[in-house]
Structure formats: structure tokens, C-alpha cells
Amino acid sequence: MSDAVKLNGEEENLELLEGFTLLDDEFMTVVFDRNTEATELLLNIILGRNDMKVTEVVAQREYKNPVTGGRSIKLDIYAKGSDGKVYDIEVQNENAGADVHRARFHSSMLDTKMLKEKQKFKEIHESYVIFITKNDYMKMGLPLYHVERTIQESGALFGDGAHIIYVNGSYKNDSDPVGKLMHDFRCTSAVDMFYQELAKSVRHFKETEGGRSQMSKAMEERINREKDKERIDCSYEYIKNLMEAMKMTAEQAMSILKIPDEDKAVLYKRF
């Protein structure tokens, strides 16, 4: 790649960066990755607490489905509290991405990593799946929507420790913490933000040379990952069709299609 093409790509990324807010998951994940201060602020506000202690924060943590061919997921932000509770924080710009079935699936995937062999079921930690949505997904005009299993006959909580919370990203009220938080999530500039825990990181990634370079690199890496996934998906379909039409094995089909060795390792797992 020539220096001129590389420079144009960086300039394009930086131009996109100017318009990013924390409601853009690629920006949000970079800002919150390993940022315990910002994550504690976020969870304290959403959970109505003031004592959150976060011991681990990781962006884009993959949860692989143990079932062959089963769907895996990548969590926008995975966090663990000092009390062992686990948090999955997702940002969704489109309503389709905040489907209630997705929230259920994410919750179930968190559970698969909770217990080791021979541990008792009662040892499973509480989990929270938190969807921060650009629109008011539930359409009730509320800042927060708490989803809990209940016993229908009595209305009492089931108490299994699985919690789902939807946060209304369009909520506007500068007099309460959730309103201020969502205001900050919609800001493109750190100077307009209420919470310095967020403004500090946003300022770093948007206004410093090191931060902007890091963000540009992260965007490039994400684009490359998406291209790799598209290539693998396309190859998979070609191989599958050839296997069905010509009664071939996966290995024979890959040989005919001249699939690179590095792609074969990934593709074999799908068959």
C-alpha cells in the first residue's frame, strides 16, 4: 500500500472519528476498554448505586458457543465487579440489534462461563445484560427498563440472578444522572460533557495525537476483520454448494477452490 493511499485512509478515519459519539459501538468499546473509572461511573448510574468496584473491563470479549455450528457472540463491553457479578454492556444504534431475543441469548451465553465442573448451581453469579439503545426501544418514555423473571401467580420475583436492563439513549433530562449520562453518550465533543470520567477518555481519543492514532488503527483493524469474515462466509457457501452438488468432502472442495491454508483452519470448524 502506498503512503498516499495509507494517508488518505487515515484522514478518512479521522474524519469519521470527529462525528463519533459513545452511541457508536466502535468508539464506545475503545473508550471503555480497560477503563474501570468510566465503567464504574456507568454502572453506578444505571444500577442506582455509588459503591461499584470493577475488577475487570474488556472490550469485544468473545463467547464461543459450545455447540458445533452454534452461534457465538462478541460482547461490546464485559465487566466484572469485585463481588463477582458479571456485566455485558451493549450499545445498539438500530432497534433490530436490541431485539429482546438477543438480550435473552446474551444472558444465556454469560451463564455458560459461570460454573466450572462440579460447582453447585447456587454458586452461579448474578449477571446483567445492559442494552444502551439510541432510540427508546420500549417506547414508554422512561429512562430505564428493568426486565426480571417473576412468578405470575403472585407477582413475586423469581430471583434467579439474571437481569436485563434497557437504557433509553434518547432520554433527555439534565437534572438526573441517567439524563446526564445519555446526554454525554450523544456528545461528539468532550467539552460538552457532564461527567469528567467520560470526557477525559473522549478527549484523549479525539484530541490527542496518540489517541487519534490508536483510534484510527482500531478502525482499520475492525475493517480488516469484517473483510476477513466476509471472505470466509463467501468461501463457506461455495464449499458447501460444491460438496452438495458433487458429493465431495470439505477437503476435496477446498482443494478445487484453492482455499489458502490459513482459511482452511477456520472453515474446517464450520463443517
Side-chain angles (χ1 to χ4, degrees):
M1 182 182 294
S2 70
D3 291 341
V5 172
K6 187 182 294 186
L7 183 59
N8 288 337
E10 290 177 358
E11 288 177 347
E12 184 177 349
N13 286 341
L14 292 175
E15 187 175 335
L16 288 170
L17 177 60
E18 292 296 331
F20 275 167
T21 71
L22 292 173
L23 287 171
D24 293 294
D25 63 350
E26 54 262 69
F27 186 57
M28 179 263 199
T29 54
V30 171
V31 168
F32 278 86
D33 185 30
R34 307 184 194 282
N35 188 341
T36 56
E37 183 182 37
T39 305
E40 286 174 353
L41 169 79
L42 177 75
L43 292 175
N44 270 325
I45 293 172
I46 292 173
L47 300 177
R49 295 174 55 174
N50 59 13
D51 59 349
M52 277 294 306
K53 294 296 180 184
V54 172
T55 59
E56 183 182 6
V57 186
V58 181
Q60 297 297 316
R61 167 166 284 188
E62 185 171 14
Y63 270 55
K64 289 186 178 292
N65 196 315
V67 178
T68 302
R71 181 163 184 172
S72 299
I73 59 173
K74 276 191 177 181
L75 311 184
D76 282 351
I77 296 294
Y78 165 89
K80 187 174 183 179
S82 58
D83 53 5
K85 295 178 183 179
V86 173
Y87 304 86
D88 167 23
I89 306 164
E90 301 288 320
V91 167
Q92 296 296 332
N93 269 300
E94 303 295 335
N95 283 352
D99 185 271
V100 295
H101 300 93
R102 182 172 186 169
R104 170 187 166 185
F105 188 72
H106 275 237
S107 181
S108 67
M109 287 293 281
L110 287 181
D111 289 344
T112 63
K113 304 291 185 182
M114 291 276 198
L115 295 179
K116 295 180 180 178
E117 188 178 4
K118 296 184 180 180
Q119 271 192 287
K120 295 179 180 179
F121 289 112
K122 66 180 181 181
E123 295 180 66
I124 197 167
H125 292 296
E126 286 189 61
S127 68
Y128 289 79
V129 174
I130 299 171
F131 274 30
I132 301 174
T133 61
K134 182 178 182 179
N135 305 310
D136 182 4
Y137 183 80
M138 297 296 178
K139 299 180 180 179
M140 301 179 195
L142 300 174
L144 300 171
Y145 302 95
H146 295 80
V147 182
E148 302 282 344
R149 290 188 178 95
T150 60
I151 300 170
Q152 291 188 354
E153 287 74 13
S154 66
L157 289 175
F158 186 48
D160 62 349
H163 313 278
I164 296 172
I165 302 174
Y166 279 72
V167 185
N168 176 6
S170 67
Y171 178 68
K172 296 179 180 179
N173 187 338
D174 293 350
S175 63
D176 74 66
V178 176
K180 289 180 180 178
L181 181 67
M182 290 303 97
H183 167 275
D184 285 4
F185 262 68
R186 294 189 297 268
C187 286
T188 58
S189 175
V191 72
D192 298 321
M193 296 179 130
F194 286 108
Y195 294 108
Q196 289 307 305
E197 295 91 335
L198 299 178
K200 181 168 58 176
S201 294
V202 169
R203 187 176 294 110
H204 170 72
F205 287 110
K206 286 203 172 198
E207 299 178 19
T208 70
E209 183 178 349
R212 287 160 69 92
S213 176
Q214 185 179 344
M215 189 66 209
S216 181
K217 182 180 178 182
M219 292 166 70
E220 287 290 343
E221 289 174 349
R222 178 162 183 162
I223 290 169
N224 290 334
R225 285 197 302 269
E226 290 174 353
K227 287 180 179 177
D228 287 342
K229 183 179 182 303
E230 288 176 5
R231 186 186 70 254
I232 293 294
D233 289 345
C234 185
S235 296
Y236 175 76
E237 291 300 322
Y238 282 132
I239 294 165
K240 187 174 69 171
N241 292 339
L242 195 56
M243 289 171 64
E244 292 174 355
M246 305 300 293
K247 307 302 180 186
M248 292 180 172
T249 65
E251 186 174 359
Q252 289 170 330
M254 289 187 204
S255 179
I256 289 175
L257 293 170
K258 293 181 170 54
I259 301 296
D261 289 341
E262 59 268 24
D263 287 356
K264 286 181 181 179
V266 178
L267 288 161
Y268 275 129
K269 294 179 181 178
R270 295 200 181 186
F271 293 101

